[in-house]
Amino acid sequence: MKIKEQELYVHIPFCMKKCNYCDFLSGVYDEKMRRTYTAALVKELEYLGKTYRHPLRSIYFGGGTPTWLETDCIQLLMDTIYKWFQVVEGAEITLECNPGTVTKDSLRAFHMMGFNRLSIGLQSANEEELKLLGRVHDLNRFLHTFELARNAGFMNINVDVMTGLPYQNPKKLQYTLDTVVRLHPEHISAYSLIIEKGTPFYDDYQFDSVRQEAGMQTEALPTEDQVYELTKQTEHFLAENGYRKYEISNFAKPGYEGEHNSGYWRMVPYLGAGLGASSYIDGMRFSNKTNIYDYIEASKKYEEMETSKHLWMDSDTLQERTRNDEIEEFMFLGLRMTDGVSLFDFEERFHTRMDLIYRNVIEELRREGLLDMYEGRVFLTERGMDLSNYAMAKFLLED
Ligand code: SF4
């Protein structure tokens, strides 16, 4: 029998400065608050470790900028995880970091703590794009951080880049891609910029996107067609340089596909610790409180009373999943990966064959050249990936 495993995500909501496009749950707080939050997070980790006892196959510290938190706080969080959880030998343990928030010593310390994968947010190698995004680093800082990370022993590094930036053109993008590939990171994530409400970018470019939707030429933002071309340019260049696209936005050298996110797309249960973090466990989904003071208060209550209640959870977010919800989600998430969904895994999970539920959909999408089947797997073709929203919507089930 397979041993059940789970993943752990730890949210660190602190940044040096808020970037102009960012709507993540993160902000600028002083050291006192960072330490208070760490103490609260320790309590939640203790609770989670005591309650959900399956071994951890991966751990991911994301944010925010986890490396903006004091190094001794990260050490305390890792010690807590090792105290309350069983961690599978060889588990992938990732730390997100931003250039300029680490030093030679802190990187060595992170490596010693057990982190074996570093994810660096570069976004762009062009100085004017970095300024526009409101990033705190410049290219030299990134190059220096990358070198320090290698010297500290990180042999599995991801670099984040972005497409669809204001005023971005193929030449600017190529400069970013050339710069990154020359360093030979094991993994590259390439996301398209999404302009979210409530960000300075929304105020600056909202008018531009409204014009774009009306089919008018825009000043700053690349059009949908241009973003498509930039995405294809990224995919082709990375493929030529040995990076396999294994998910809509993720590319890896062979054997370096991200374990943590792949688990998420295969619906491995996961626990989310920290502000606003989401969990998927025992067939339920829920997220934590998003107000940092409420989150800290929950930990104080935990100390005061013996309880088996998840005090950090925002109970309004709790969803019990129906079987149809689970099937749909299994298909949506699985089809994000270029390897798609295994017929065997589907049957093992849902005790029914995929074709009994989706025969018509599969046939229709195959006829349209959007989906294919090979060696027991169903996956989107390149064209299917380009039209993934359309293709995936076909897998919605009627209740
Ligand atoms: S560093 Fe990342 S999380 Fe922090 S503000 Fe910038 S984009 Fe947001």
Side-chain angles (χ1 to χ4, degrees):
M1 202 179 92
K2 262 198 215 166
I3 299 177
K4 275 201 176 171
E5 291 176 351
Q6 57 188 359
E7 305 194 323
L8 175 66
Y9 172 80
V10 181
H11 190 68
I12 309 293
F14 306 123
C15 288
M16 251 170 113
K17 167 185 171 292
K18 196 80 182 162
C19 299
N20 295 336
Y21 60 98
C22 178
D23 80 327
F24 299 142
L25 201 50
S26 68
V28 180
Y29 294 92
D30 62 15
E31 183 180 341
K32 189 165 169 239
M33 182 54 130
R34 295 197 292 267
R35 290 190 178 277
T36 308
Y37 176 80
T38 303
L41 188 48
V42 162
K43 290 292 153 203
E44 192 196 359
L45 286 167
E46 175 186 320
Y47 167 81
L48 291 174
K50 284 180 177 171
T51 311
Y52 302 102
R53 307 186 73 93
H54 298 305
L56 297 179
R57 66 192 286 280
S58 67
I59 304 170
Y60 193 105
F61 275 53
T65 305
T67 46
W68 189 234
L69 182 61
E70 283 59 29
T71 306
D72 63 297
C73 292
I74 297 189
Q75 176 80 65
L76 177 61
L77 295 171
M78 284 296 272
D79 290 346
T80 307
I81 292 169
Y82 277 103
K83 179 170 175 192
W84 296 109
F85 290 90
Q86 186 194 335
V87 182
V88 171
E89 212 186 313
E92 181 188 273
I93 308 181
T94 304
L95 180 65
E96 279 184 358
C97 89
N98 280 316
T101 61
V102 286
T103 62
K104 181 172 144 197
D105 289 344
S106 67
L107 282 166
R108 288 213 170 129
F110 297 140
H111 196 253
M112 293 283 289
M113 287 175 209
F115 289 101
N116 50 27
R117 184 171 184 268
L118 201 68
S119 179
I120 309 178
L122 166 65
Q123 317 312 350
S124 165
N126 297 291
E127 304 296 357
E128 75 276 17
E129 285 180 341
L130 290 171
K131 281 208 187 84
L132 204 71
L133 291 168
R135 304 291 299 189
V136 288
H137 65 272
D138 57 17
L139 176 60
N140 277 337
R141 276 220 160 162
F142 163 74
L143 295 173
H144 186 55
T145 298
F146 194 94
E147 191 188 344
L148 289 181
R150 283 291 195 226
N151 291 340
F154 285 97
M155 294 304 142
N156 188 357
I157 299 182
N158 168 60
V159 178
D160 284 341
V161 297
M162 286 177 101
T163 55
L165 302 179
Y167 307 106
Q168 193 175 42
N169 57 34
K171 197 171 157 207
K172 287 185 187 172
L173 174 62
Q174 196 55 46
Y175 179 65
T176 296
L177 296 173
D178 284 338
T179 307
V180 173
V181 163
R182 217 174 295 131
L183 298 171
H184 307 290
E186 286 65 32
H187 191 285
I188 298 173
S189 297
Y191 297 103
S192 288
L193 172 71
I194 298 173
I195 306 228
E196 303 282 3
K197 242 185 176 163
T199 63
F201 259 28
Y202 188 80
D203 299 335
D204 290 350
Y205 300 113
Q206 183 202 9
F207 183 58
D208 225 44
S209 33
V210 171
R211 278 163 50 114
Q212 212 176 74
E213 270 164 32
M216 292 160 81
Q217 195 55 38
T218 60
E219 302 259 309
L221 293 180
T223 62
E224 222 175 272
D225 287 348
Q226 285 166 336
V227 173
Y228 174 80
E229 289 305 326
L230 294 168
T231 307
K232 287 289 143 192
Q233 178 185 343
T234 306
E235 289 179 11
H236 292 150
F237 182 73
L238 294 183
E240 278 164 19
N241 284 280
Y243 292 88
R244 185 178 84 93
K245 175 175 167 170
Y246 70 99
E247 193 267 345
I248 290 178
S249 310
N250 286 286
F251 305 81
K253 288 192 176 167
Y256 287 96
E257 292 81 8
E259 276 285 320
H260 185 84
N261 283 342
S262 299
Y264 171 75
W265 297 314
R266 289 204 308 271
M267 289 180 77
V268 172
Y270 59 85
L271 298 167
L275 193 68
S278 301
S279 299
Y280 168 61
I281 195 94
D282 296 341
M284 284 186 296
R285 285 193 182 277
F286 54 84
S287 299
N288 280 355
K289 298 175 191 297
T290 54
N291 177 305
I292 196 161
Y293 300 99
D294 293 346
Y295 178 84
I296 290 167
E297 204 45 47
S299 287
K300 282 193 194 138
K301 272 204 203 125
Y302 175 75
E303 276 189 313
E304 285 163 11
M305 57 199 227
E306 276 290 308
T307 174
S308 58
K309 252 181 101 184
H310 191 314
L311 298 167
W312 301 264
M313 180 205 293
D314 173 354
S315 42
D316 290 345
T317 64
L318 182 65
Q319 300 169 15
E320 275 198 53
R321 316 281 298 158
T322 65
R323 184 165 179 271
N324 275 5
D325 292 339
E326 293 279 294
I327 291 176
E328 287 171 358
E329 198 157 354
F330 189 77
M331 297 306 294
F332 296 160
L333 291 172
L335 289 173
R336 291 180 63 96
M337 294 181 288
T338 49
D339 286 347
V341 179
S342 144
L343 297 176
F344 177 79
D345 289 351
F346 186 97
E347 194 167 337
E348 192 181 50
R349 193 172 185 117
F350 300 111
H351 309 291
T352 185
R353 292 205 328 258
M354 192 190 292
D355 62 338
L356 293 179
I357 298 179
Y358 285 125
R359 178 179 294 129
N360 293 344
V361 173
I362 290 172
E363 280 173 8
E364 184 189 333
L365 290 173
R366 279 184 101 173
R367 268 198 309 277
E368 293 178 280
L370 302 181
L371 183 132
D372 215 342
M373 286 174 89
Y374 183 67
E375 292 191 340
R377 301 192 74 88
V378 172
F379 53 89
L380 294 181
T381 59
E382 189 178 341
R383 211 171 102 73
M385 281 274 176
D386 292 342
L387 300 172
S388 60
N389 287 347
Y390 165 80
M392 286 181 193
K394 299 273 176 192
F395 287 89
L396 282 169
L397 295 170
E398 281 176 21
D399 277 325

